[in-house]
Amino acid sequence: IFEPFYTTKEAGKGTGLGLAICYAVARDCGGWLEVESAPGQGTRFTLFLPAVKEAAQATPPTVDLLASLESATPVNQEAPPVQPTRTVLLAEDEASLRRVISRVLGLEGWKVMEVGDGASALELYQQHQAEIDLVITDTIMPRLGGISLVNKLVQINPQVKVIMMSGYFDTSIEVESLNQLAITKQLRFISKPFRIEALTKLLHEIRF
């Protein structure tokens, strides 16, 4: 039940029970989850977190993509710049994050097509496949999730290049799940929240 994309719904009806993020948060805090379930009696999830006697000292927050928006500049000066003619289809349902990523891509020389859900991304790709060099998609989105989206894209273009984003569970679990799907060899993964450097590094790693 804590595996990514585990669901009791029919195919295409759901992406998971949402427990992976709970498990990841509990684990990162040094705690755990216990599950009790019986037919006809329901299910109980008990969350255990370490107790503290006093408030922790404040520490400077990690600078992530959102925090570094206003000062965003191209950061990978050693790598060759991306050709201005490159076009990316960006599918992200969180408007503020979509705006940030779009700006970063613009600074890297990309032309960006933005959408807020998977179904719109699929429709746009069908209309502009010849123009789109890369797809960056969130994992959990309304109307059509990222995994379903990429599976449909690879049917249209087996060589489609994809960067998949997610903040719901840890990288090792998600990469293993995506590898099992074997949807495309041109797939890269980035875990939210991420630094601008991490995104630009992936952009330069992908072969065109």
Side-chain angles (χ1 to χ4, degrees), residues 5 15 137-141 145-147 164-166 169 174 189:
F5 312 116
T15 53
T137 177
D138 193 17
T139 304
I140 308 299
M141 293 184 295
I147 292 293
M164 183 163 286
M165 309 175 292
S166 179
F169 27 78
E174 184 157 1
F189 170 80

Side-chain angles (χ1 to χ4, degrees), residues 39-60:
Q41 298 183 26
T43 302
R44 175 188 295 175
F45 293 88
T46 306
L47 172 62
F48 293 87
L49 296 174
V52 294
K53 295 182 179 180
E54 58 185 18
Q57 295 294 323
T59 56

Side-chain angles (χ1 to χ4, degrees), residues 16 21 32 60-63 66 88 102 108-109 161 164 179 184 198:
I21 187 171
W32 69 91
T62 300
V63 178
L66 287 174
V88 59
S102 180
E108 287 291 309
K161 299 172 179 62
M164 183 163 286
N179 287 340
T184 172

Side-chain angles (χ1 to χ4, degrees), residues 156-171:
I156 300 173
N157 175 16
Q159 303 303 319
V160 62
K161 299 172 179 62
V162 179
I163 294 178
M164 183 163 286
M165 309 175 292
S166 179
Y168 282 87
F169 27 78
D170 69 48
T171 304

Side-chain angles (χ1 to χ4, degrees), residues 5 14 30 47 53 55 59 65 76 86-87 139 143 150 160 208:
F5 312 116
L47 172 62
K53 295 182 179 180
T59 56
L65 190 59
N76 195 338
R86 300 290 189 199
T87 299
T139 304
R143 299 180 65 197
V150 176
V160 62
F208 294 97

Side-chain angles (χ1 to χ4, degrees), residues 7 9-15 143-145 148:
T7 179
K9 299 179 182 178
E10 299 176 7
K13 299 294 184 180
T15 53
R143 299 180 65 197
L144 186 67
S148 298

Side-chain angles (χ1 to χ4, degrees), residues 87 113 123-133:
T87 299
M113 297 181 178
E123 181 179 351
L124 197 60
Y125 190 85
Q126 290 171 328
Q127 297 173 354
H128 301 277
Q129 176 187 349
E131 306 170 38
I132 297 172
D133 300 286

